[in-house]
Amino acid sequence: MNPHKIVIALTKGRILEEVLPLLEKAGVIPSEEIGSSRKLLFDSNLPDVQLMIIRGSDVPTYVELGSADIGIAGKDMILEYGSQGFYEPVDLKIACCRLMTAAPVGASLDSPRLRVASKFVNIAKQYFSSRGRQVDIIKLNGALELAPLMGLADCIVDIVDTGKTLRAHGLEPRDFIADVSTRVIVNRAAMKIKHERIQSLLQRLQAAVDATSAGRA
Ligand code: PRP
């Protein structure tokens, strides 16, 4: 951990587009345009703040192990990784959706050994075991909706927003597992060592979230 810098790990893709305006309201602006660059590490307008752009599934790893002080990632990625190793002080209330099970419309899921496809292997395992169900988890990395259609799995565990992707593949949402939104996570040691600077940044981010919510209401 660099004691002089605050490194923020950001999730690339859709979340990034919504996070950058919030960061800007909180006073953190990348020193060059992130979208048009192949770079993965950026300086900012604040001399002690750096921004990393990585996959959401890698954000908890960087934060727990302390190579990033702060991370911004979906609650789905946090639940899948396990949320014990860091603090989760701020809900940015963006990229809101739900983790659900989904299956072909009308299909019975009573078979004794259900085949469940997901990229959220740990979440799926925990969910079905909490319901006392033995399942075979099939790990996929995307396009989960194809798995039941192609006979690979009986059902899936996936993110549902509008439900359009499910419907387009003859699937319907079944059980709710968790609400998902984008969260700020903080390395435990960094929170102690860089307390004032991190708290100040978190307060500014929370104020940016509150102002955005007030604007929406
Ligand atoms: C997510 C999810 C679904 C879709 C749900 O995919 O996996 O495919 O969004 O949205 P909807 O309910 O509004 O149709 P995403 O686009 O994030 O890409 P992914 O395939 O990498 O998960």
Side-chain angles (χ1 to χ4, degrees):
M1 185 189 296
N2 181 335
H4 306 294
K5 295 268 181 203
I6 292 182
V7 178
I8 307 178
L10 303 176
T11 295
K12 67 177 177 185
R14 263 188 294 175
I15 288 181
L16 186 63
E17 289 167 28
E18 291 190 65
V19 163
L20 288 177
L22 280 176
L23 274 176
E24 187 172 338
K25 281 187 190 152
V28 181
I29 302 167
S31 53
E32 56 190 292
E33 189 150 351
I34 286 183
S36 57
S37 169
R38 298 290 295 167
K39 279 172 65 173
L40 303 171
L41 185 62
F42 294 84
D43 288 325
S44 76
N45 60 320
L46 305 179
D48 61 342
V49 175
Q50 277 187 317
L51 304 169
M52 299 169 52
I53 313 296
I54 55 179
R55 280 171 178 259
S57 51
D58 290 334
V59 169
T61 309
Y62 268 93
V63 173
E64 179 168 18
L65 300 180
S67 295
D69 301 292
I70 295 176
I72 294 186
K75 183 70 178 175
D76 50 343
M77 298 303 166
I78 295 169
L79 288 171
E80 179 63 14
Y81 181 84
S83 47
Q84 305 310 310
F86 36 74
Y87 299 112
E88 190 188 310
V90 181
D91 181 351
L92 294 180
K93 298 186 180 164
I94 54 175
C96 299
C97 51
R98 286 153 294 148
L99 266 167
M100 308 270 307
T101 66
V105 175
S108 157
L109 296 181
D110 290 339
S111 74
R113 191 107 198 175
L114 211 57
R115 295 168 306 152
V116 182
S118 190
K119 57 182 173 187
F120 306 105
V121 169
N122 296 327
I123 294 170
K125 258 187 214 155
Q126 273 167 27
Y127 174 72
F128 283 100
S129 90
S130 75
R131 305 194 24 134
R133 291 213 59 176
Q134 285 232 320
V135 296
D136 291 324
I137 308 279
I138 300 162
K139 162 87 178 168
L140 292 176
N141 295 304
L144 300 175
E145 297 82 5
L146 279 177
L149 205 61
M150 303 311 289
L152 185 71
D154 302 303
C155 66
I156 62 175
V157 168
D158 198 8
I159 294 296
V160 181
D161 180 12
T162 61
K164 277 188 193 159
T165 314
L166 291 183
R167 282 197 293 281
H169 296 89
L171 304 176
E172 60 185 2
R174 294 284 178 95
D175 298 338
F176 168 85
I177 300 179
D179 279 313
V180 170
S181 58
T182 304
R183 310 293 168 96
V184 179
I185 58 177
V186 180
N187 175 269
R188 287 177 181 276
M191 190 70 118
K192 290 201 187 80
I193 297 164
K194 308 177 189 179
H195 185 78
E196 271 177 38
R197 284 184 297 158
I198 289 181
Q199 276 303 336
S200 157
L201 184 54
L202 293 176
Q203 278 164 14
R204 298 199 308 271
L205 271 173
Q206 185 64 60
V209 173
D210 294 343
T212 308
S213 316
R216 272 198 220 113

